[in-house]
Amino acid sequence: MTNKEVAELAGVSSAAVSRFLNGGYLSDEKRERIAAAIEQTGYVPSANARILRLKKSNTVGVILTRADENAMSGVVAGIEKYFFAGELGTSLAYVGDDVKEQAKTMRSLLERQIDGIILVSSAPIPGDIELYERARVPVVVVGQHVRDMSCVRFDNFGAAYDLASSLGCKPESRVAYIDASGLYRSFGADRRKGFLAGLERLGIDESRISVRTSGFSVEHGYRTVHDLLAGRAVFDCISCATDTIAAGAIKAIRERYGSLSHARAPKVSGFGNDPILQAVAGPLPTVSFDYEECGIKAAELMVDLLKEGTNSPKSLVLGYQVVGV
Amino acid sequence: MTNKEVAELAGVSSAAVSRFLNGGYLSDEKRERIAAAIEQTGYVPSANARILRLKKSNTVGVILTRADENAMSGVVAGIEKYFFAGELGTSLAYVGDDVKEQAKTMRSLLERQIDGIILVSSAPIPGDIELYERARVPVVVVGQHVRDMSCVRFDNFGAAYDLASSLGCKPESRVAYIDASGLYRSFGADRRKGFLAGLERLGIDESRISVRTSGFSVEHGYRTVHDLLAGRAVFDCISCATDTIAAGAIKAIRERYGSLSHARAPKVSGFGNDPILQAVAGPLPTVSFDYEECGIKAAELMVDLLKEGTNSPKSLVLGYQVVGV
DNA sequence: TTGTAAGCGTTATCAG
DNA sequence: CTGATAACGCTTACAA
């Protein structure tokens, strides 16, 4: 079904139908006839033809990476909430960790004449970010800081710093930090550095701190903490880079000490405020982020970039809430 | 940057460039010149123009609903895995529970000339499914059975039936089932009925079974079970429609009895195999689904429908695994 | 207020 | 093997 066919049925020109759709000059009489014809035929205009003609899709591509699974739903909701008010739409795409896949996804978005790209990724960006720099459209990265690009991210350093301060550790405490893969800046280095800085402020000597690196799964966390506790070492606190890792840690601690409330069992903290973990193992100190706000800010930033047409990158750091202490 | 510009630069016709892109007759010499020109200019062909011309996008729209957050990532991975082999791509869209939003999303997909729609939704479908029936393209529903439509779903009834059988309940046991909102067929009625059928087979009289309905959040589960345990009633087992609800149940039981291992504390079961819950509160009987396989099957079914061009709906029910017993 | 017609970037047909 | 050309469905001057 096309423009022209609807026009014939309504006894008007195709231009009139177009005006009807886009709000141009039109007599009420024709307006009604066209409305009737559209209703009758179930006509759906072709976005492709429109975009081809306009050279603008009013659509922003959103690339979601697997690593940000928890945040995805909230971030997308935020983005769409903000765009909904304007006339922008989104075109979503998932990518795994594969470099080629990410390149292919970018390409397919670019082919569709999207006006901008929001890349939601805490994972290291493959292909040396060039891929995104070369895009002829503005790019907003959500979840990490990338040099010379516009970014929206959470203050992981600050959150970890505050978290460390709220665990009730004393200078003589023995503390372990379970780091997430070093390749992930936000989840890894930022949180670790913030946490260690927090411990330093508390006057805890480095010699009393153990840092271990774990993968992202529950199983990884379990193994890491299991091994950590296998020796004679006793910890007052084991702080984990994510709630998932913390879940593994808790399992290991239960096995080692029989119960979390055992006198020598270390206190555990996480990151991410998983509601299930909080219910079952809480109260557990952790950090909560507002993903929807993050999405809104990213969308706002994108609209700014789209308006200005400038390339000067702008960055934004969002807050956090320490909970469960 | 367009076809034509690249052609001029390479000193060939635009048709040659098109052939280069789509693999038609072309001398090696021109092939090289065109490749160089494309590389040099960073030319990206316009998908819109191609789709307009071809009247076919080779793209399947995938609508993801909020209620299926857990399954989303796996299902999408499965779909893309299958499509990747062929020449199909996906165009993703999230929707909340809002009817209008869903209609708007459908429309925008249809406007882009997608070849089919995969609707991933366990939630009740608003707008009386008409919206999807009217679409001129094949539709596959994932997560629930809808009359006269092609569906891929899990055997929730069977899973709940088996789960009931594996809890070690005896005819004299006192059992509670915490149902999820009745509006959700798969999570609600299917699981409840399967579970009750399983109990019946074990010879447990209805009078010994309590059914309560809860919302989907941890908090809902907590409140429901809290209230259930507030009276004098003692249960051998509390079975929950989802792991999230089970997490709330566990919290309530801990509060009531001090510990899950208290002599009178009921055994808990869930649904969904959340790794965090399993680590922290396990072993906990629950059901595991293979979402990626589900995505693959849905994609496969879509390809079938696309090929056949027929409208006769085909349905598929996938298996499950009872774990943590 | 309305219709005509050009052109957006592709691909496919057809003649060379 | 190659190039000119028409057509895909839409919007927008421009002319009426």
Side-chain angles (χ1 to χ4, degrees):
Chain A
M1 186 55 47
T2 76
N3 199 327
K4 204 176 271 184
E5 295 177 81
V6 172
E8 275 174 30
L9 190 68
V12 300
S13 74
S14 73
V17 175
S18 181
R19 288 193 189 101
F20 174 85
L21 260 16
N22 303 305
Y25 295 129
L26 210 50
S27 66
D28 286 350
E29 190 222 337
K30 301 211 170 186
R31 200 176 291 280
E32 272 176 38
R33 290 220 305 273
I34 294 172
I38 287 178
E39 172 64 25
Q40 192 187 133
T41 56
Y43 164 68
V44 176
S46 157
N48 299 294
R50 182 175 358 102
I51 295 169
L52 179 60
R53 174 67 228 247
L54 263 31
K55 295 176 129 175
K56 215 169 161 304
S57 65
N58 289 321
T59 298
V60 172
V62 180
I63 301 181
L64 280 345
T65 58
R66 201 100 193 248
D68 294 81
E69 224 169 317
N70 294 322
M72 263 176 4
S73 173
V75 171
V76 172
I79 293 173
E80 301 207 322
K81 192 176 200 174
Y82 189 83
F83 282 169
F84 190 73
E87 52 197 0
L88 284 173
T90 57
S91 186
L92 271 40
Y94 270 92
V95 297
D97 305 317
D98 188 36
V99 184
K100 277 188 193 160
E101 200 187 337
Q102 220 167 116
K104 203 183 146 202
T105 300
M106 271 289 288
R107 201 188 151 76
S108 93
L109 286 175
L110 258 16
E111 283 184 351
R112 294 198 222 153
Q113 308 273 5
I114 47 146
D115 304 323
I117 289 182
I118 297 180
L119 171 65
V120 182
S121 174
S122 299
I125 297 175
D128 220 22
I129 201 68
E130 267 189 49
L131 196 58
Y132 297 93
E133 285 174 337
R134 267 203 227 149
R136 309 292 184 120
V137 298
V139 176
V140 171
V141 178
V142 174
Q144 65 182 303
H145 177 70
V146 179
R147 244 179 29 145
D148 298 334
M149 305 212 77
S150 292
C151 305
V152 177
R153 65 188 196 281
F154 290 106
D155 182 8
N156 279 285
F157 181 96
Y161 185 94
D162 280 5
L163 187 65
S165 309
S166 66
L167 295 178
C169 292
K170 306 193 185 75
E172 66 274 19
S173 298
R174 197 101 178 56
V175 183
Y177 182 73
I178 314 300
D179 195 4
S181 160
L183 294 173
Y184 288 64
R185 245 187 165 291
S186 303
F187 299 158
D190 289 357
R191 292 180 187 178
R192 184 187 65 241
K193 286 178 186 167
F195 190 76
L196 294 179
L199 292 185
E200 192 181 343
R201 202 204 53 156
L202 293 176
I204 300 177
D205 190 74
E206 272 189 35
S207 65
R208 310 188 68 77
I209 304 171
S210 300
V211 175
R212 292 285 183 284
T213 298
S214 154
F216 284 101
S217 73
V218 168
E219 185 61 20
H220 281 125
Y222 168 73
R223 290 217 169 286
T224 306
V225 174
H226 174 87
D227 294 351
L228 184 70
L229 296 178
R232 288 177 305 275
V234 172
F235 294 92
D236 296 290
C237 177
I238 297 184
S239 204
C240 305
T242 72
D243 272 13
T244 303
I245 294 173
I250 287 170
K251 185 181 175 190
I253 292 168
R254 280 241 178 82
E255 276 186 20
R256 175 72 175 77
Y257 293 103
S259 154
L260 280 185
S261 45
H262 182 282
R264 272 200 286 280
K267 188 169 184 178
V268 176
S269 78
F271 231 100
N273 197 23
D274 182 279
I276 289 184
L277 184 62
Q278 196 58 240
V280 177
L284 170 136
T286 188
V287 174
S288 167
F289 295 119
D290 187 338
Y291 295 119
E292 186 166 328
E293 189 207 355
C294 177
I296 293 176
K297 292 298 181 189
E300 215 175 291
L301 185 49
M302 174 56 71
V303 170
D304 273 5
L305 295 176
L306 251 23
K307 263 188 199 149
E308 295 188 14
T310 144
N311 264 335
S312 61
K314 306 184 178 187
S315 266
L316 207 59
V317 177
L318 304 178
Y320 51 86
Q321 210 182 341
V322 175
V323 302
V325 291
Chain B
M1 185 56 46
T2 77
N3 200 328
K4 204 175 273 184
E5 294 176 81
V6 172
E8 273 174 32
L9 191 67
V12 300
S13 73
S14 73
V17 175
S18 181
R19 285 193 192 100
F20 175 85
L21 260 17
N22 303 304
Y25 296 128
L26 210 49
S27 66
D28 286 349
E29 190 223 335
K30 300 211 171 186
R31 201 176 291 280
E32 272 176 39
R33 290 220 307 273
I34 295 173
I38 288 178
E39 171 64 25
Q40 191 187 134
T41 57
Y43 162 68
V44 175
S46 157
N48 298 295
R50 185 178 352 108
I51 295 169
L52 178 59
R53 174 67 227 246
L54 264 30
K55 297 176 127 179
K56 215 169 162 303
S57 65
N58 289 321
T59 299
V60 172
V62 179
I63 301 181
L64 280 346
T65 58
R66 200 100 194 248
D68 294 81
E69 222 169 316
N70 294 322
M72 265 177 2
S73 174
V75 171
V76 172
I79 293 173
E80 302 207 322
K81 193 176 199 173
Y82 189 82
F83 283 169
F84 190 73
E87 51 198 359
L88 284 172
T90 58
S91 187
L92 271 40
Y94 271 90
V95 298
D97 306 317
D98 189 36
V99 185
K100 275 187 194 160
E101 200 186 337
Q102 219 165 117
K104 203 183 147 203
T105 300
M106 270 290 289
R107 200 189 152 76
S108 92
L109 286 174
L110 258 16
E111 283 184 351
R112 294 197 223 155
Q113 308 272 6
I114 47 147
D115 304 323
I117 289 182
I118 296 179
L119 172 65
V120 182
S121 174
S122 300
I125 297 176
D128 220 20
I129 201 69
E130 266 189 51
L131 195 59
Y132 297 93
E133 285 174 337
R134 266 202 229 149
R136 307 292 183 121
V137 298
V139 176
V140 171
V141 178
V142 173
Q144 64 181 303
H145 178 71
V146 179
R147 246 182 25 149
D148 297 335
M149 305 212 79
S150 292
C151 306
V152 176
R153 65 187 196 284
F154 290 106
D155 182 9
N156 279 285
F157 182 95
Y161 185 92
D162 281 5
L163 187 65
S165 309
S166 66
L167 295 179
C169 292
K170 307 193 184 76
E172 67 273 20
S173 297
R174 198 106 178 53
V175 183
Y177 183 73
I178 313 301
D179 196 5
S181 160
L183 295 173
Y184 287 65
R185 245 188 164 288
S186 302
F187 300 157
D190 290 356
R191 292 179 186 178
R192 184 186 66 241
K193 287 179 185 166
F195 190 77
L196 295 179
L199 292 184
E200 193 181 341
R201 203 205 52 157
L202 293 176
I204 301 176
D205 191 74
E206 272 188 35
S207 66
R208 310 188 67 78
I209 304 171
S210 300
V211 175
R212 292 285 182 284
T213 298
S214 155
F216 285 100
S217 73
V218 168
E219 185 62 20
H220 281 124
Y222 169 72
R223 290 218 168 285
T224 306
V225 174
H226 174 88
D227 294 351
L228 184 70
L229 296 178
R232 287 177 304 276
V234 172
F235 294 93
D236 296 289
C237 177
I238 297 183
S239 205
C240 306
T242 71
D243 272 14
T244 304
I245 294 173
I250 286 170
K251 185 180 175 189
I253 292 168
R254 280 241 178 82
E255 277 186 19
R256 175 72 175 77
Y257 292 103
S259 153
L260 279 186
S261 44
H262 182 282
R264 273 202 286 280
K267 188 168 183 177
V268 176
S269 78
F271 231 100
N273 196 23
D274 182 279
I276 288 183
L277 185 61
Q278 196 58 241
V280 178
L284 170 136
T286 187
V287 174
S288 166
F289 295 119
D290 187 338
Y291 295 120
E292 187 167 326
E293 188 206 354
C294 177
I296 292 176
K297 292 298 181 189
E300 215 175 291
L301 185 49
M302 174 55 72
V303 170
D304 274 5
L305 295 176
L306 251 22
K307 266 188 197 150
E308 295 187 16
T310 145
N311 264 336
S312 61
K314 306 184 178 187
S315 265
L316 206 59
V317 177
L318 304 178
Y320 51 88
Q321 211 182 340
V322 175
V323 301
V325 290

